[in-house]
Amino acid sequence: MRAARLIKMVLLLQSRPTMTAAELARELEVSERTVTRDAQALSEAGVPVYAERGRAGGYRLIGGYRTRLTGLARGEAEALFLSGVPGALREMGLEDAASAARLKVSAALLPSLRDASRTAAQRFHLDAPNWFREPETPELLPAVAEAVWDDRRITARYRRGEDDVVRELEPYGLVLKAGVWYLCARVTRTPGDGPFRVYRIDRFTAAEASEERFERDDAFDLPAFWAERAEQFARSILRAEVVLRLSPQGVRGLPYAVDALSAREALETAGAPDADGWVTVTLPVESEEVAHTQLKGLGPEAEVLAPSALRERFAQDARRLARLYAHADG
């Protein structure tokens, strides 16, 4: 445990000019006193860790010290090669750079670990697009990706309904969701004060990067922003409600029949089971039409109680099915 922490401490100090004891303690999840002891242990082992005292002080490596990646365990090396998504890198125009990086990492590993990329690829593969959907790479994706990497402003023209809209954007990050590429960007009105928005890149009709770089907001957290925006979108389309009775099997099947967010909210607020084990839930839905299509998959494991118009549609479905199967054995 301590050996792994010492290696991580060296790698952290390699990646930054200086780190305070508090910063190292936070990264390593230990106390500042432990950081001091670890720094002394590294120094005694021949690693040139130097401590600078004072308000601007901290720990740093001296003499241009670098360590090779010979401390990686096999599991760590294999996980390293899983960190990239080959298809996504190819679509962004980064396949050559990623390949060169993998070769350099492989060359730095111990001989016994150099097959890590092959063993990882044999065991895991990410297929991002949905079933029955042929993924299409947006033509402008490589240009947008390059602007994201270089922190360059772009002028983007995109389709919004029947119109084309032009926006000056600061491109912060790219997200690949179910085979569709999205750009998370700040709208530039005056530098630094525009809101962050999400754009589907396949709706861009033009994207031109400027020579001017923008200063990134260090507080921007792409995964957190995307998670919040995705939940906001899911909630925004759930504008109606359906009251259901669900059998125990219907309860288990609800998350597979409808939107995961609405299923979770419905089941978290469900009443106690009745004498037959059925529970009553209020399910947020996009519309009665969508609910009719989705809830068909639960069959007789769900009974619609309200609204009455939707209940009547299911009653009509049941009568039609009864007529279809009335003479099935005849």
Side-chain angles (χ1 to χ4, degrees):
M1 181 71 176
R2 189 189 186 200
R5 189 174 71 241
L6 292 174
I7 291 172
K8 183 176 180 180
M9 183 173 179
V10 173
L11 294 174
L12 284 169
L13 292 174
Q14 279 187 188
S15 66
R16 307 178 197 179
T18 303
M19 293 187 70
T20 65
E23 289 171 336
L24 284 167
R26 185 167 55 251
E27 292 282 354
L28 299 171
E29 298 181 348
V30 296
S31 67
E32 292 186 31
R33 181 170 295 182
T34 298
V35 168
T36 301
R37 289 197 297 264
D38 286 352
Q40 183 177 353
L42 287 171
S43 181
E44 291 172 354
V47 178
V49 177
Y50 178 73
E52 295 178 324
R53 301 187 181 279
R55 293 186 60 186
Y59 292 91
R60 64 185 178 90
L61 295 172
I62 60 175
Y65 179 84
R66 308 292 294 177
T67 182
R68 291 168 62 84
L69 296 175
T70 52
L72 287 177
R74 169 163 290 278
E76 293 169 332
E78 290 173 345
L80 179 65
F81 285 102
L82 284 174
S83 62
V85 184
L89 293 170
R90 183 173 56 252
E91 292 180 9
M92 288 189 291
L94 298 174
E95 185 176 28
D96 290 343
S99 177
R102 287 192 294 268
L103 287 173
K104 290 178 180 178
V105 172
S106 294
L109 292 172
L110 288 169
S112 61
L113 299 179
R114 287 177 185 165
D115 66 339
S117 62
R118 180 178 59 82
T119 58
Q122 287 173 338
R123 288 164 174 79
F124 299 98
H125 173 68
L126 176 64
D127 183 10
N130 287 328
W131 286 103
F132 313 116
R133 176 176 179 172
E134 190 67 27
E136 295 184 4
T137 303
E139 182 179 349
L140 296 172
L141 176 61
V144 175
E146 185 175 355
V148 169
W149 282 111
D150 290 344
D151 293 338
R152 294 186 184 276
R153 290 189 173 91
I154 62 172
T155 301
R157 181 184 297 273
Y158 67 97
R159 296 187 302 275
R160 188 170 69 182
E162 299 297 323
D163 302 321
D164 271 10
V165 179
V166 177
R167 289 286 184 269
E168 300 289 332
L169 302 174
E170 294 177 351
Y172 268 68
L174 293 167
V175 175
L176 176 61
K177 170 71 171 178
V180 179
W181 284 97
Y182 296 88
L183 173 67
C184 301
R186 192 204 294 269
V187 180
T188 304
R189 293 194 178 99
T190 58
D193 74 346
F196 286 101
R197 294 179 180 169
V198 177
Y199 300 88
R200 279 186 60 148
I201 296 181
D202 59 6
R203 292 179 182 165
F204 282 12
T205 57
E208 183 177 351
S210 75
E211 293 300 317
E212 182 184 4
R213 285 187 168 88
F214 64 91
E215 185 174 345
R216 293 180 67 90
D217 181 352
D218 291 336
F220 179 78
D221 183 332
L222 179 60
F225 171 79
W226 178 259
E228 179 183 359
R229 192 56 58 92
E231 183 165 338
Q232 287 176 357
F233 173 75
R235 291 183 185 280
S236 71
I237 64 174
L238 301 175
R239 300 171 181 169
E241 289 184 343
V242 173
V243 180
L244 297 172
R245 285 184 71 237
L246 295 170
S247 71
Q249 186 173 339
V251 169
R252 292 191 294 270
L254 186 65
Y256 303 98
V258 302
D259 176 79
L261 175 65
S262 60
R264 184 174 70 247
E265 290 190 357
L267 295 175
E268 286 176 350
T269 57
D274 61 19
D276 297 321
W278 288 55
V279 297
T280 299
V281 301
T282 299
L283 179 72
V285 295
E286 184 175 347
S287 66
E288 288 187 22
E289 186 67 34
V290 171
H292 181 245
T293 300
Q294 292 176 330
L295 295 174
K296 282 180 180 179
L298 294 176
E301 308 304 327
E303 178 189 2
V304 173
L305 302 180
S308 58
L310 183 59
R311 179 178 174 86
E312 178 56 29
R313 290 187 68 174
F314 275 99
Q316 292 174 4
D317 291 342
R319 289 191 288 269
R320 289 179 59 197
L321 283 170
R323 289 195 296 269
L324 283 173
Y325 290 98
H327 307 292
D329 297 329

